[in-house]
């Protein structure tokens, strides 16, 4: 037995134990998925074998969550619920299971080309990758955890079937692919970017040495098709019925939002900092990790040294592509590949990229002679664990529900606005003019009857006083009306809903206002029943899945001679696999040591280090955060104090991100909601070139009413600068708004905003200005074009400047109007660019468009302009020749700027 399997299963223990608490971690998505697990449990208990519609979601209008969001992880949670395990406990168990599965999958995949010790290091690097810990403590997306854990199993299945094209390996691949697909769509789509080329490359590669290339391709594609068939119960309705929900309509802000979430190159390989326990929201980094990056670089070099060029090309190419897709230059691919842009967060690539970092990092042990690898493995595991410890300790509070019910989900929607447990209400059916965000009807009844569907009460109270309703239990009603009329039910209309009237099928349709289920009821007393029975597409998908499951069982159980994996009359054997040190399993003594060390440290960390020390953490004073660079201590309305900020940028390019971290502390107990507004503004504060308005604190819909006075909150604001931003300088503006009035809180001096002192330069030279003129002021500023227009009120003078050299002083522009005799009859001096960009800050090479005015006077026939400082006018030349009076004379018909 390869004891490395046991060691790989134990590796995540140090990270798992801190996640066990009173409830679940209050991460961004964690509570949402607890409610989905509870919903799956409830629907299974009501006899639904494959639930799709949740009646009490979306404030009691119902929601097709499980028809469009992969239900696999929730199905596992629902099965645990049937066994009596609560939804929060099921969530924690499944998160731990995903952690262990991912570690085992990484180890198994690495063992196809690495010795046991190197494979175990790869499993360690995967288990404690920053993205894995970010997922646990910040994101909390249980399906994403599970799907990311199954990625190595899918790739392992591809390698297995390409090496040994047997039926069982094809089934292995199909099952792994089905598990990933049933877990999370974004990870499945991202993994497909790597699976698709590997489907062709791996069979061709192994076929060139072992032959039977066509057979390998057939078995590989067969395994993938089997995976597709197994998931048809979900994928077929998803594809065919997506048109019925809002998700099919790409929101107009998808691309800008995607652009704002690309990582900066400096983020790719960073070491997570120790967390600050006083910080209400310590920002966990989105990164591949410094230690993982170093190990992977050493591993790739080791592969070169060992001349394992095929593995090098595959790993290096996958890792390079992962890094590329995290950065802004990959935007055209995100826009081109179907559905990629709708993922919105390029950082999702980190979950898959972490696997390639881990595999390459494990190869670093190939530098070490075999007899020293045990010691080197111990050192590598220790380094990987120490690097991860800043992210292992609890940095979010736990949340629990003593008696979880459907009412808790309804209340969550009312407070946090995550309709139907989604971020964008993307599964809202398309019918109706309004989204259905009104308050739920008698929500307390959902505690005992979560499947209850109400008849629309407004029909009875406002429109049809003769309408009488008696609920008979379930979705059965006795309805009496005096005349024929429409009756509406508080459920969104969606294909698959059916109804009977007195036992006979009756037509239902979506009413116009909200898209509720409606039917026409004739006069008299009637018995009406509603049921969600599904659509033909859903039935076909279920049938394909059942058939595929039978095929998978048959491929494993039945073993006719013509299906055996035979090559040239001989069965495929381990010895024929073109692997690297395949049989170099982890020695038992090393495996025992690893398991003992991990278990011992996990207990020490949980029982001693976490509760009794501040190792690997900080605990700052509430008014002096450890990571704050510059103190401000500015009060906003006596409600919040801006303690200070951390700013590592002094310039930013148009279209790129500007990042500033602010530190806030409440000055009094809060009974209202507040949110900050952060902008990059020009110096006169007349224009903004980028802004962000997050909910506060923490960028999520979190109430500020319970904001503690003895802690602070860090807030990282990253926002893109407008593509049209000119090459000026600006300052970061900070406001705090009262969410109820949308008015900013005043500062002690009466202003409504604070401008942070540092100047932020927008890089670039600006739009090119065609050179129609060649006037040069002190050989530092060139006037390239000038245009004069007028109306009845004023002359407008458009100027195009090109900077030749830096200026030590700010200049002022004089604008004079002259009559036919050359006498000055009007004047309007002003600083260039309305003082939005002082000329002492201009940089050589910049092109600046300027505009000035002069009061209109019909006697003016010529306009003169020039530049001066307190020391006098700047010298002026044209085409190298001095100009009298150091002024440019413009005729009223001049139009060299094209304005």
């Amino acid at each position: 037995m390869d004891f490395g399997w046991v060691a790989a299963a134990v590796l995540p223990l140090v990270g798992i134990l801190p996640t066990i608490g009173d409830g679940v971690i209050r991460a961004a998505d964690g509570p949402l998925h607890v409610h989905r697990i509870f919903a799956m449990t409830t629907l299974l208990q009501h006899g639904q074998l494959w639930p799709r519609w949740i009646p009490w979601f979306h404030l009691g209008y119902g929601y097709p969550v499980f028809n469009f969001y992969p239900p696999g992880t929730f199905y596992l949670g629902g099965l645990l619920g049937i066994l009596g395990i609560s939804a929060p406990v099921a969530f924690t168990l499944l998160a731990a299971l995903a952690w262990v599965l991912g570690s085992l999958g990484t180890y198994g995949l690495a063992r196809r080309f690495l010795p046991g010790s190197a494979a175990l290091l790869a499993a360690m690097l995967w288990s404690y990758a920053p993205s894995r810990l970010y997922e646990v403590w910040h994101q909390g997306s249980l399906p994403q955890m599970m799907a990311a854990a199954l990625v190595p199993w899918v790739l392992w299945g591809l390698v297995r079937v390409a090496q040994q094209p047997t039926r069982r390996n094809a089934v292995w691949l199909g099952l792994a692919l089905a598990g990933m697909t049933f877990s999370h769509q974004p990870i499945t789509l991202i993994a497909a970017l790597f699976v698709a080329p590997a489907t062709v490359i791996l069979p061709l590669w192994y076929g060139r040495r072992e032959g039977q290339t066509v057979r390998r391709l057939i078995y590989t594609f067969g395994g993938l098709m089997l995976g597709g068939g197994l998931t048809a119960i979900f994928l077929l309705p998803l594809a065919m019925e997506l048109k019925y929900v809002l998700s099919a309509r790409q929101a107009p802000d998808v691309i800008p939002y995607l652009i704002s979430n690309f990582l900066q190159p400096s983020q790719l390989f960073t070491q997570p900092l120790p967390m600050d326990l006083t910080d209400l929201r310590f920002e966990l980094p989105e990164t591949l990790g410094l230690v993982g990056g170093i190990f992977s670089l050493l591993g790739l070099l080791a592969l070169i040294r060992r001349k394992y060029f095929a593995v090098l090309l595959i790993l290096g190419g996958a890792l390079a592509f992962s890094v590329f897709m995290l950065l802004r230059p990959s935007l055209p691919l995100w826009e081109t590949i179907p559905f990629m842009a709708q993922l919105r967060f390029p950082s999702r690539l980190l979950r898959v990229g972490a696997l390639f970092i881990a595999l390459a990092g494990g190869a670093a042990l190939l530098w070490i002679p075999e007899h020293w690898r045990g010691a080197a493995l111990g050192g590598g595991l220790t380094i990987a664990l120490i690097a991860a410890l800043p992210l292992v300790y609890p940095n979010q509070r736990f949340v629990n529900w003593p008696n979880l019910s459907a009412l808790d989900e309804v209340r969550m929607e009312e407070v946090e606005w995550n309709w139907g447990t989604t971020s964008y209400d993307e599964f809202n059916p398309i019918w109706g003019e309004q989204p259905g965000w009104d308050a739920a009807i008698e929500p307390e009844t959902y505690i005992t009857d979560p499947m209850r569907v109400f008849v629309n009460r407004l029909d009875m109270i406002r429109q049809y006083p003769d309408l009488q309703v008696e609920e008979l239990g379930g979705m059965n009603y006795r309805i009496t009306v005096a005349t024929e009329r429409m009756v509406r039910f508080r459920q969104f209309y969606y294909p698959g809903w059916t109804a009977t009237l007195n036992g006979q099928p009756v037509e239902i349709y979506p009413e116009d206002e909200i898209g509720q289920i409606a039917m026409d009821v004739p006069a008299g007393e009637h018995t009406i029943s509603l049921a969600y029975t599904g659509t033909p597409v859903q039935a076909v998908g279920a049938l394909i899945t059942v058939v595929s499951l039978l095929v998978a069982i048959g491929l494993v159980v039945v073993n006719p001679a013509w299906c055996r994996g035979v090559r040239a009359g001989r069965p495929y054997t381990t010895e024929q696999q073109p692997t690297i040190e395949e049989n170099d399993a982890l020695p038992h003594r090393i495996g025992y040591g690893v398991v003992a060390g991990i278990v011992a440290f996990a207990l020490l960390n949980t029982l001693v280090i976490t509760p009794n020390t501040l190792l690997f953490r900080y605990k700052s004073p509430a008014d002096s955060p450890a990571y704050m660079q510059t103190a401000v201590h500015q009060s906003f309305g006596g409600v919040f104090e801006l303690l200070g900020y951390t700013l590592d940028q002094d310039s930013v390019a148009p279209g790129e991100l500007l990042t500033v971290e602010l530190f806030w502390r409440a000055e009094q107990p809060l009974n209202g909601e507040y949110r900050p507004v952060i902008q990059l503004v020009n110096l006169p504060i007349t224009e903004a070139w980028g802004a962000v308005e997050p909910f506060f604190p923490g960028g999520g819909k979190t109430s500020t009413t319970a904001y503690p006075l003895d802690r602070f909150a860090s807030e990282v604001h990253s926002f893109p600068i407008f593509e049209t931003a000119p090459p000026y300088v600006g300052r970061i503006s900070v406001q705090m708004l009262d969410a109820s009035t949308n008015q900013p809180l005043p500062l002690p001096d009466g202003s409504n905003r604070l401008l942070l002192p540092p100047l932020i330069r927008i890089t670039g030279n600006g739009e090119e200005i065609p050179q129609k003129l060649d006037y040069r002021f002190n050989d530092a500023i060139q006037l390239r074009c000038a245009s004069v227009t007028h109306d009845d009120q004023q002359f407008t003078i458009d100027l195009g400047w090109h900077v030749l050299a830096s200026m030590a002083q700010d200049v002022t522009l004089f604008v004079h109007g002259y009559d036919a005799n050359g006498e000055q009859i009007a004047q309007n001096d002003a600083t260039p660019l309305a003082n939005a960009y002082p000329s002492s800050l201009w940089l050589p090479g910049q092109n600046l468009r300027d505009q000035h005015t002069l009061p209109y006077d019909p006697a003016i026939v010529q306009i003169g302009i020039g530049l001066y400082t307190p020391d006098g006018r700047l010298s002026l030349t044209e085409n190298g020749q001095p100009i009298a009076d150091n002024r440019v004379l413009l005729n009223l018909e001049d139009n060299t700027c094209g304005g």
Side-chain angles (χ1 to χ4, degrees):
M1 175 185 174
D2 182 354
F3 201 79
W5 290 103
V6 178
V10 174
L11 287 181
L13 186 62
V14 176
I16 289 174
L17 289 183
T19 68
I20 301 173
D22 183 19
V24 299
I25 301 165
R26 191 176 178 79
D29 295 341
L32 307 181
H33 297 316
V34 169
H35 288 299
R36 291 184 185 179
I37 291 174
F38 175 83
M40 182 64 77
T41 301
T42 302
L43 296 172
L44 289 174
Q45 290 172 337
H46 278 78
Q48 299 185 25
L49 294 180
W50 192 264
R52 298 181 186 273
W53 186 275
I54 308 176
W56 65 91
F57 272 29
H58 209 290
L59 302 173
Y61 280 106
Y63 215 54
V65 171
F66 297 141
N67 201 51
F68 298 103
Y69 195 104
T73 308
F74 309 120
Y75 205 98
L76 292 176
L79 294 177
L80 292 176
I82 290 177
L83 296 177
I85 297 174
S86 69
V89 173
F91 178 99
T92 302
L93 291 176
L94 290 174
L97 174 63
W99 217 328
V100 173
L101 276 177
S103 180
L104 290 172
T106 303
Y107 181 79
L109 176 59
R111 285 290 286 120
R112 305 304 288 188
F113 61 91
L114 290 176
S117 56
L120 193 61
L121 177 58
M124 186 69 166
L125 291 171
W126 183 91
S127 296
Y128 293 95
S131 59
R132 163 65 32 179
L133 295 163
Y134 179 94
E135 190 69 67
V136 170
W137 288 105
H138 183 82
Q139 190 64 43
S141 175
L142 181 60
Q144 189 161 262
M145 295 182 207
M146 187 64 73
L150 290 173
V151 171
W153 291 85
V154 173
L155 296 178
W156 185 9
L158 276 173
V159 174
R160 285 176 63 98
V161 76
Q163 287 181 336
Q164 294 178 289
T166 66
R167 293 171 299 110
R168 292 192 177 186
N169 283 342
V171 171
W172 174 301
L173 173 59
L175 291 175
L177 179 62
M180 182 176 66
T181 305
F182 273 135
S183 297
H184 198 246
Q185 290 152 311
I187 292 297
T188 300
L189 180 57
I190 291 169
L193 301 178
F194 303 91
V195 170
T199 300
V200 177
I201 292 172
L202 291 176
L204 292 178
W205 173 257
Y206 289 111
R208 74 177 182 82
R209 300 180 60 179
E210 300 290 320
Q212 298 289 316
T213 299
V214 174
R215 180 187 182 89
R216 297 174 197 275
L217 287 168
I218 291 174
Y219 274 72
T220 300
F221 280 97
L224 296 177
M225 290 178 63
L226 178 63
L230 290 170
T231 55
I233 192 173
F234 168 69
L235 289 181
L236 190 60
L238 169 66
M240 301 301 293
E241 298 178 2
L242 189 64
K243 61 187 178 182
Y244 298 139
V245 295
L246 297 181
S247 182
R249 307 171 182 175
Q250 179 167 303
D253 66 339
V254 165
I255 298 301
Y257 194 75
L258 173 70
I259 292 173
S260 70
N261 285 306
F262 278 111
L263 270 64
Q264 299 298 302
S266 60
Q267 293 178 264
L268 291 174
F269 299 100
T270 59
Q271 171 57 35
L273 298 172
M275 71 181 61
D276 193 327
L277 299 181
T278 313
D279 194 344
L280 285 169
R281 183 183 179 268
F282 184 78
E283 183 75 8
L284 300 182
E286 294 184 298
T287 178
L288 291 167
L290 178 61
V291 168
I294 293 174
F295 271 111
S296 63
L297 178 60
L298 292 173
L300 294 175
L301 293 175
L303 292 174
I304 295 175
R305 177 173 175 267
R306 291 292 191 97
K307 298 182 179 180
Y308 299 148
F309 297 120
V311 178
L312 172 69
L313 289 175
I314 292 173
L315 272 184
L319 184 54
F321 183 71
S322 299
V323 170
F324 173 70
M325 291 296 288
L326 290 166
L327 302 174
R328 173 70 182 276
S330 67
L331 178 61
L333 277 181
W334 285 88
E335 294 177 309
T336 302
I337 300 173
F339 307 112
M340 282 293 290
Q342 296 194 38
L343 301 188
R344 297 174 182 262
F345 296 98
S347 58
R348 295 184 193 272
L349 263 294
L350 292 171
R351 279 69 172 179
V352 179
L355 174 62
F356 303 121
I357 284 282
L359 295 173
L365 285 189
L366 296 178
W367 283 101
I368 308 300
E370 187 174 350
H371 60 279
W372 288 106
R373 281 187 190 159
L377 172 63
L381 296 179
T382 301
I383 292 172
L385 183 59
I386 291 175
L389 284 178
L391 301 180
V392 167
Y393 296 99
N395 55 68
Q396 299 276 11
R397 62 189 177 92
F398 286 73
V399 59
N400 203 352
W401 303 262
N403 297 292
L404 184 62
S405 71
L407 175 62
D408 293 295
E409 192 280 334
V410 174
R411 295 301 189 206
M412 178 188 69
E413 290 189 33
E414 292 174 342
V415 173
E416 300 186 14
W417 310 337
N418 41 23
W419 318 116
T421 68
T422 63
S423 300
Y424 309 102
D425 201 7
E426 55 264 37
F427 304 142
N428 195 326
I430 59 176
W431 296 276
E433 298 177 356
Q434 300 179 20
W437 294 342
D438 54 298
I441 300 174
E442 300 180 16
E444 289 77 10
T445 61
Y446 289 127
I447 297 176
T448 56
D449 188 7
M451 307 298 288
R452 184 179 183 184
V453 173
F454 291 88
V455 175
N456 192 297
R457 300 304 174 88
L458 292 179
D459 289 350
M460 293 186 285
I461 298 173
R462 298 178 183 176
Q463 296 177 330
Y464 311 132
D466 62 320
L467 176 62
Q468 299 179 22
V469 177
E470 178 185 356
E471 296 186 11
L472 303 178
M475 298 183 190
N476 303 298
Y477 314 87
R478 182 176 291 114
I479 293 180
T480 304
V481 292
T483 60
E484 181 178 351
R485 66 180 73 258
M486 178 182 69
V487 175
R488 300 182 296 177
F489 297 83
R490 192 181 172 91
Q491 286 287 284
F492 286 134
Y493 173 85
Y494 188 83
W497 277 103
T498 59
T500 61
L501 180 70
N502 300 325
Q504 298 299 315
V506 63
E507 179 185 2
I508 60 175
Y509 55 89
E511 53 87 31
D512 294 334
E513 182 182 358
I514 298 177
Q516 300 172 91
I517 295 174
M519 68 176 66
D520 296 322
V521 178
E525 179 181 292
H526 308 279
T527 300
I528 295 176
S529 298
L530 288 179
Y532 186 80
T533 56
T535 65
V537 169
Q538 295 169 9
V540 171
L543 177 61
I544 294 174
T545 292
V546 171
V547 172
S548 300
L549 184 59
L550 294 176
V551 169
I553 294 172
L555 290 175
V556 173
V557 175
V558 180
N559 193 30
W562 58 269
C563 271
R564 292 172 189 162
V566 176
R567 183 182 67 83
R570 301 188 305 276
Y572 288 95
T573 63
T574 300
E575 288 74 16
Q576 292 167 339
Q577 298 173 19
T579 58
I580 299 171
E581 304 179 76
E582 170 69 25
N583 295 318
D584 186 7
L586 187 74
H588 281 206
R589 58 183 179 79
I590 295 178
Y592 295 147
V594 170
V595 170
I598 289 292
V599 172
F601 183 79
L603 294 175
L604 176 68
N605 186 56
T606 302
L607 301 176
V608 179
I609 296 177
T610 299
N612 300 309
T613 76
L614 289 177
L615 290 175
F616 310 104
R617 294 158 289 170
Y618 289 121
K619 191 170 185 178
S620 299
D623 60 351
S624 182
Y627 293 116
M628 184 176 72
Q629 289 180 349
T630 305
V632 172
H633 296 294
Q634 178 67 65
S635 175
F636 285 74
V639 177
F640 276 102
E641 178 187 8
L642 179 62
L643 298 174
Y645 62 90
T646 293
L647 178 64
D648 295 323
Q649 292 175 257
D650 59 9
S651 63
V652 61
E656 300 298 329
L657 292 180
L658 176 62
T659 300
V660 60
E661 184 174 14
L662 303 181
F663 297 83
W664 298 92
R665 185 173 66 89
E667 296 185 274
Q668 58 176 299
L670 304 179
N671 55 9
E673 306 295 336
Y674 302 88
R675 58 185 177 87
V677 176
I678 315 301
Q679 300 171 300
L680 180 65
V681 299
N682 65 358
L683 298 184
I685 321 179
T686 58
E687 185 178 0
W689 299 314
V692 60
E693 299 185 26
F695 289 88
F696 182 85
K701 301 178 180 69
T702 305
S703 173
T704 58
T705 54
Y707 198 94
L709 302 182
D710 59 346
R711 298 179 68 183
F712 64 86
S714 65
E715 184 70 50
V716 176
H717 302 278
S718 292
F719 52 95
I721 302 304
F722 302 154
E723 296 280 1
T724 56
Y728 295 0
V729 295
R731 294 171 68 184
I732 296 174
S733 163
V734 181
Q735 294 177 294
M736 180 64 76
L737 270 58
D738 184 327
S740 62
T741 63
N742 212 36
Q743 295 299 310
L745 300 179
L747 276 62
D749 62 3
S751 62
N752 63 11
R753 73 177 70 227
L754 176 68
L755 295 177
L756 301 186
L759 292 177
I760 305 296
R761 179 174 293 279
I762 299 177
T763 60
N765 290 330
E767 180 184 355
E768 185 66 25
I769 298 175
Q771 184 174 340
K772 302 295 182 64
L773 305 174
D774 187 18
Y775 290 102
R776 302 191 178 207
F777 295 87
N778 274 18
D779 283 328
I781 302 173
Q782 180 187 38
L783 179 63
R784 284 191 165 183
C785 70
S787 296
V788 180
T789 58
H790 72 86
D791 55 24
D792 294 340
Q793 302 296 320
Q794 64 182 19
F795 291 97
T796 300
I797 302 96
D798 291 298
L799 306 172
W801 305 108
H802 178 73
V803 184
L804 302 173
S806 299
M807 298 284 294
Q809 291 180 289
D810 290 331
V811 300
T812 303
L813 177 78
F814 66 78
V815 182
H816 296 166
Y818 304 104
D819 61 15
N821 298 319
E823 296 294 329
Q824 178 182 326
I825 59 175
Q827 180 176 354
N828 186 17
D829 293 5
T831 56
L833 307 175
N835 207 32
Y837 185 23
S839 54
S840 59
L841 300 174
W842 294 4
L843 296 180
Q846 289 185 325
N847 301 301
L848 306 170
R849 290 192 176 272
D850 197 8
Q851 188 176 84
H852 295 263
T853 61
L854 193 66
Y856 179 72
D857 186 333
I860 294 177
V861 298
Q862 208 171 33
I863 294 176
I865 64 168
L867 298 174
Y868 65 90
T869 68
D871 298 329
R873 290 187 181 183
L874 273 61
S875 63
L876 177 64
T877 63
E878 181 184 15
N879 299 321
Q881 299 301 314
I883 299 298
D885 296 327
N886 294 318
R887 65 180 179 179
V888 178
L889 294 177
L890 303 175
N891 297 317
L892 301 188
E893 63 274 10
D894 283 346
N895 188 21
T896 55
C897 282

